[in-house]
């Protein structure tokens, strides 16, 4: 009845581009026997070409040099060693969202540029939390487009969670305020707030978030507890630039990387981990409800290095 590829097949799909490029390059490099400077240069180049970014590449190179310089190394050993170093970068940031807020609800603000996958990710995250027995509520804070409210409402229906919505063009801060009040009344554990993607106007985004924070502060000074940036993994380097901007403008507390299927440039996950060190809560590998999950850093590292 379900002939969709499994979660792990889809995960492999998202890292295929990165992995194929990296492993074919590593395969060419080895055969020169000893791990010397020239070989290390080639390894570093291969890592950069695979979207892992210059700083992760430099770190992995340094670790390989520290542990194995001048030693003979087989292709398999090199790939295993690279996998170990990638895992060391990913492990500290692989942190699922935890619902710990007291008082409830935990307010999770979801931000990102247009089309990065915010609304779909909210639905998937809600589903994940519902499966963990949390009471979840959505708030339609993207009042910019009429269709956005309807889209979130459809998802809320599918997931089976309540939604608080206002009119098109309404004030997102007042919707969030209403949602927190209602959530408090009905015992919501996690309130996930959709927002409009408007990177083109930083000022507007900053003002809107400041207003949401101010209004929330009256109900709960700790809120929003999470400011989750949704990134589209097919955007490569551009996704990293978005971290820079949103970190500064919106005080991002964690990342969800989505569209890690098909044409994704999965290596960017490692680049993001190395350069920013922000928690990466989950990865999305498709448009269905069960397509978002926390990730296993060791498995992802092995997939990227071609030893899974
Ligand atoms: N392949 C793939 N597509 C995805 C994934 N997540 C979201 N999408 C698709 O990406 C498109 C945009 O997703 P939305 O969730 O509407 O993005 P958004 O950030 O809310 O967009 P705006 O509200 O316009 O800012 C939709 O067609 C989604 O189905 C994913 O993990 N994989
Ligand atoms: Mg949306």
């Amino acid at each position: 009845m379900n002939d969709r590829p499994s979660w792990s097949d889809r995960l492999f799909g998202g890292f295929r581009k990165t992995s194929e490029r990296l492993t074919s390059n590593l395969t060419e490099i080895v055969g020169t026997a000893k791990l010397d400077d020239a070989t290390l240069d080639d390894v570093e180049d291969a890592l950069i070409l695979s979207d892992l970014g210059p700083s992760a590449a430099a770190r992995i190179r340094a670790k390989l040099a520290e542990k194995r310089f001048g030693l003979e190394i087989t292709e398999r050993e090199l790939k295993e060693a690279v996998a170990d170093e990638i895992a060391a970068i990913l492990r500290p940031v692989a942190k699922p969202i935890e619902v710990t807020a007291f008082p409830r609800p935990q307010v999770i603000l979801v931000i990102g540029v247009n089309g990065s996958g915010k609304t779909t990710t909210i639905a998937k995250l809600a589903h994940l939390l519902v499966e963990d027995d949390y009471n979840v509520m959505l708030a339609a804070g993207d009042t910019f487009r009429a269709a956005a409210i309807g889209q979130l409402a459809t998802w809320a229906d599918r997931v089976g969670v309540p939604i608080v919505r206002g009119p098109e063009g309404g004030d997102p801060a007042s919707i969030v305020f209403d949602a927190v009040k209602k959530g408090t009344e009905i015992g919501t554990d996690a309130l996930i707030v959709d927002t409009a993607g408007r990177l083109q106007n930083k000022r507007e985004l900053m003002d809107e978030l400041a207003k949401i924070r101010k209004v929330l502060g009256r109900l709960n000074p700790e809120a929003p507890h999470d400011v989750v940036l949704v990134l589209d993994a097919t955007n490569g380097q551009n996704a990293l630039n978005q971290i820079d901007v949103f970190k500064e403008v919106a005080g991002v507390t964690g990342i969800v990387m989505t569209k890690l299927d098909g044409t994704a440039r999965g290596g960017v996950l490692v680049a993001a981990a190395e350069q920013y060190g922000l928690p990466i809560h989950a990865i999305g590998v498709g448009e269905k409800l069960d397509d978002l999950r926390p990730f296993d850093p060791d498995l992802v590292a092995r997939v990227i290095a071609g030893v899974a």
Side-chain angles (χ1 to χ4, degrees), residues 222-240:
E222 308 271 318
H225 304 80
D226 302 279
V227 179
V228 176
L229 175 63
V230 174
L231 295 174
D232 175 343
T234 59
N235 281 341
Q237 177 62 38
N238 207 352
L240 301 180

Side-chain angles (χ1 to χ4, degrees), residues 49-63:
L49 283 172
S50 317
D51 291 317
L52 274 75
S55 51
R59 175 191 293 272
I60 294 169
R61 179 216 167 99
K63 289 282 175 193

Side-chain angles (χ1 to χ4, degrees), residues 113-120 122 142 145 148 151-152 194-197:
V113 298
N114 286 328
S116 60
K118 293 180 294 298
T119 305
T120 319
I122 287 169
D142 179 2
R145 289 187 300 121
Q151 188 194 353
L152 192 72
D194 197 10
T195 64

Side-chain angles (χ1 to χ4, degrees), residues 63-278:
K63 289 282 175 193
L64 289 175
E66 187 187 310
K67 293 178 187 168
R68 294 175 184 256
F69 191 82
L71 302 178
E72 284 183 15
I73 192 161
T74 65
E75 180 186 334
R76 177 80 192 184
E77 284 166 346
L78 178 60
K79 289 177 181 171
E80 295 271 0
V82 167
D84 287 348
E85 301 310 336
I86 294 175
I89 293 171
L90 291 178
R91 260 182 233 127
V93 302
K95 288 185 195 145
I97 284 206
E98 288 180 22
V99 182
T100 53
F102 185 83
R104 299 284 213 235
Q106 179 152 326
V107 181
I108 303 168
L109 212 56
V110 177
I111 61 171
V113 298
N114 286 328
S116 60
K118 293 180 294 298
T119 305
T120 319
T121 297
I122 287 169
K124 293 188 274 188
L125 180 60
H127 176 70
L128 203 62
L129 294 175
V130 165
E131 283 197 320
D132 279 344
D133 288 331
Y134 290 112
N135 290 318
V136 179
M137 181 189 279
L138 308 186
D142 179 2
T143 59
F144 198 62
R145 289 187 300 121
I149 301 171
Q151 188 194 353
L152 192 72
T154 305
W155 278 119
D157 220 35
R158 269 185 224 156
V159 183
V161 295
I163 176 172
V164 171
R165 55 191 283 182
E168 181 193 348
D171 176 11
S174 83
I175 290 159
V176 176
F177 185 82
D178 290 348
V180 173
K181 259 177 42 188
K182 175 129 190 253
T184 306
E185 276 163 34
I186 66 172
T188 299
D189 297 306
L191 171 69
I192 315 179
V193 181
D194 197 10
T195 64
R198 273 189 242 168
L199 185 61
Q200 53 273 48
N201 189 336
K202 277 200 227 172
R203 187 78 252 163
E204 210 174 345
L205 177 70
M206 262 171 128
D207 289 349
E208 188 161 302
L209 292 176
K211 199 165 162 199
I212 291 177
R213 279 180 201 280
K214 192 169 154 209
V215 165
L216 280 178
R218 279 191 241 138
L219 293 173
N220 182 346
E222 308 271 318
H225 304 80
D226 302 279
V227 179
V228 176
L229 175 63
V230 174
L231 295 174
D232 175 343
T234 59
N235 281 341
Q237 177 62 38
N238 207 352
L240 301 180
N241 298 341
Q242 289 164 21
I243 304 181
D244 268 326
V245 173
F246 279 98
K247 242 182 97 174
E248 182 202 326
V249 171
V252 174
T253 59
I255 293 170
V256 167
M257 194 156 295
T258 190
K259 307 193 198 181
L260 261 172
D261 49 293
T263 59
R265 299 168 64 179
V268 74
L269 189 76
V270 182
E274 166 70 28
Q275 282 175 42
Y276 298 95
L278 283 165

